[in-house]
Amino acid sequence: MTLPRDYSGQTCALARSMEIVGERWTLLILRDAFYGVRRFGEFAAHLGVPRAVLADRLATLTEAGVLDRRPETGTGRREVYGLTPKGVALWPAVRALTAWGEEFHPADGGPRRVFLHAGDEAPLDADGRCTSCGTAVPVADVVVAPGPGLAPATPDDDPVTAALARPHRLLQPLLRPPLTTAPPGRPTRGPQR
């Protein structure tokens, strides 16, 4: 039996929020959007989520104004997803749930990923403050970096996992779009003479 998406009889703000972000996979999709994942196939490959479920969750987040879907710059054909200001406002919740998981359900070897202040490369505490300068770090100034518990890279890693093996500033596209045209001065077809 499929559970309903709404919490009938519940009128609090938390219930209304859960109607948007409370379904399975949704917070992981949001986490990846903060990491800079933009394309449907990248979400699918990194998360291992069934494509129908992913399409449903992305549609829900888009309809709620948490994500927007737009043509990818330079391709005109592919679409990408990006966090809206409403979506970016969810960062404290995503960060707090991650910190809670690290404290009460830690991975062997330590965290797989750590958050750093881009300004001085110091770690953030559980409240999102820089442990060096004490600044409450806005999401655009946060770097996600490999932590001590991250397994070594393998040739079988999906492109998102491989890219996250290096430090990366949140909200910036993680993967570059494929080139759709040849660089200037080079033919796009036929033999080169």
Side-chain angles (χ1 to χ4, degrees), residues 14-190:
L14 180 59
R16 291 191 304 276
S17 298
M18 293 299 291
E19 290 171 356
I20 297 168
V21 300
E23 289 191 273
R24 185 174 180 163
W25 296 108
T26 300
L27 286 171
L28 297 179
I29 292 166
L30 289 171
R31 176 207 61 196
D32 278 10
F34 280 106
Y35 287 171
V37 174
R38 298 287 181 252
R39 295 183 208 101
F40 183 94
E42 294 165 0
F43 283 109
H46 187 238
L47 296 171
V49 59
R51 294 176 82 78
V53 172
L54 178 60
D56 178 69
R57 300 306 185 269
L58 289 169
T60 297
L61 290 167
T62 301
E63 289 167 14
V66 173
L67 295 176
D68 68 357
R69 188 174 75 187
R70 60 190 175 279
E72 185 172 45
T73 305
T75 68
R77 295 179 290 143
R78 299 179 97 174
E79 290 186 326
V80 292
Y81 294 88
L83 289 159
T84 64
K86 185 177 182 178
V88 170
L90 286 165
W91 173 244
V94 172
R95 188 195 75 257
L97 283 169
T98 301
W100 182 85
E102 292 297 350
E103 182 174 347
F104 295 106
H105 301 281
D108 292 337
R112 293 184 56 204
R113 294 191 174 79
V114 295
F115 299 116
L116 309 172
H117 181 194
D120 57 19
E121 299 181 5
L124 302 186
D125 67 15
D127 294 324
R129 292 190 163 288
C130 176
T131 57
S132 177
C133 68
T135 301
V137 181
V139 65
D141 292 336
V142 174
V143 171
V144 60
L150 186 66
T154 70
D156 295 331
D157 286 345
D158 66 272
V160 172
T161 299
L164 287 170
R166 298 177 302 279
H168 176 76
R169 194 174 213 144
L170 295 185
L171 301 177
Q172 298 300 310
L174 185 61
L175 302 173
R176 301 283 177 226
L179 289 175
T180 56
T181 60
R186 299 185 78 185
T188 56
R189 302 171 139 184

